[in-house]
Amino acid sequence: MARESMTANETFNDAELIRALQAGDQRAFGELLDLHLTHVRTFLALRSPVAHLVDELAHDAFVFAYRRIGEFKPGTSFRAWLRAIAWNLLRQEIQRVARDQVQQARFAEWQLAEWNDARSDSSAAPEAEHLHECLDQIDEPLRELLALKYREGHTTNEISTRLKRSLA
């Protein structure tokens, strides 16, 4: 049955929609999106460490699926394929965030070393001296928190326990 002759009220299973999409019917993708978006978003929401990633990664998963629809193997589960795509995107994002955190920690250590050098060396970088001036203007509770984190290297849990504050 030709895709164009179907009425708007009829629903198609995934295989029919995918065949139609692979044949060039762009509307079929909209129907696939409608059928699977909630499932993909739920899948991501249950696994994502931060809520703001859910919509972005769901969007990226569908864009990836659209661009690679020719690689989809007929007879397999489209929903499982979408979940695998979403999982891989989420895993990549988590790895990227972890790398960023390591880089930020390294930068903070370097900056702290610069700051400490600035206290003993008047020829140190002007940025380090400016950082020292900024830190002097911060209220004592926040200065203590920064010292515990960046000078002494305590974890967030250790700091919250030591300062008798919540993790937030």
Side-chain angles (χ1 to χ4, degrees):
M1 178 181 246
R3 175 88 173 96
E4 292 78 18
S5 66
M6 297 288 176
T7 64
N9 293 334
E10 290 181 276
T11 59
F12 298 93
N13 64 31
D14 288 349
E16 291 170 328
L17 289 168
I18 290 166
R19 275 194 300 276
L21 180 59
Q22 288 173 335
D25 184 353
Q26 304 302 311
R27 292 176 294 176
F29 186 74
E31 292 182 43
L32 284 167
L33 182 80
D34 290 341
L35 288 172
H36 297 284
L37 180 60
T38 300
H39 177 78
V40 171
R41 288 187 78 253
T42 302
F43 176 84
L44 287 166
L46 292 172
R47 288 157 182 81
S48 178
V50 287
H52 78 271
L53 288 176
V54 173
D55 288 330
E56 180 180 338
L57 291 175
H59 172 267
D60 291 349
F62 277 97
V63 169
F64 184 93
Y66 177 80
R67 290 180 177 161
R68 304 280 177 96
I69 198 66
E71 298 173 19
F72 178 75
K73 292 180 175 61
T76 60
S77 170
F78 184 70
R79 182 170 280 190
W81 190 59
L82 278 173
R83 277 195 316 260
I85 293 168
W87 173 249
N88 285 329
L89 291 171
L90 176 60
R91 187 177 44 80
Q92 289 170 0
E93 183 64 16
I94 289 169
Q95 289 171 345
R96 185 194 64 76
V97 167
R99 281 191 306 270
D100 286 351
Q101 288 176 339
V102 168
Q103 289 174 344
Q104 289 173 2
R106 287 179 182 160
F107 177 75
E109 289 172 16
W110 172 81
Q111 194 65 56
L112 183 59
E114 285 284 314
W115 177 68
N116 286 332
D117 289 345
R119 286 184 170 254
S120 61
D121 179 11
S122 61
S123 67
E127 293 87 357
E129 184 57 36
H130 183 68
L131 178 61
H132 173 64
E133 292 169 7
C134 289
L135 287 172
D136 287 342
Q137 295 176 19
I138 295 175
D139 292 335
E140 181 54 37
L142 289 176
R143 197 172 330 137
E144 180 183 10
L145 186 143
L146 290 170
L148 289 170
K149 177 68 178 173
Y150 297 106
R151 186 176 301 141
E152 298 178 24
H154 292 286
T155 67
T156 306
N157 287 334
E158 293 169 342
I159 294 170
S160 70
T161 301
R162 186 166 174 175
L163 297 179
K164 297 180 179 135
R165 306 276 309 254
S166 71
L167 282 174

